[in-house]
Amino acid sequence: MGSCEFISSEEGAKKCLEGIPFPADKQEILRRIERSGGPEAVIVAANQIPEKVYQSLDELLQCLGADETARGE
């Protein structure tokens, strides 16, 4: 599938992750991504986040690194 637009922009990340109810733990996030048919790169990235309860989409995006990548850091 190559590189995923999800990681290249915050907007793309939000589209891939929309509909996840927060707070949500890692397993719930993974289930939601898989059920929605998220790209393989999203599943791989989500598998690498720490096991914890995420309180918001912004917190999840920070862990996934989407914010830094979107800013070009």
Side-chain angles (χ1 to χ4, degrees), residues 2-60:
S3 68
C4 179
E5 291 173 29
F6 159 82
I7 300 298
S8 68
S9 77
E10 187 173 347
E11 212 43 51
K14 287 180 179 178
K15 279 186 178 179
C16 286
L17 301 170
E18 69 186 358
I20 296 175
F22 290 93
D25 65 15
K26 178 180 178 175
Q27 295 310 311
E28 178 63 19
I29 292 165
L30 286 169
R31 279 192 297 273
R32 293 283 182 150
I33 294 169
E34 289 169 358
R35 268 192 246 142
S36 70
E40 180 80 19
V42 176
I43 296 168
V44 169
N47 269 300
Q48 296 175 8
I49 63 175
E51 286 281 350
K52 67 177 223 167
V53 175
Y54 294 85
Q55 299 300 317
S56 68
L57 179 57
D58 287 336
E59 181 183 3
L60 178 56

Side-chain angles (χ1 to χ4, degrees), residues 7-10 65-73:
I7 300 298
S8 68
S9 77
E10 187 173 347
D67 288 339
E68 288 78 12
T69 305
R71 289 193 304 260
E73 293 179 2

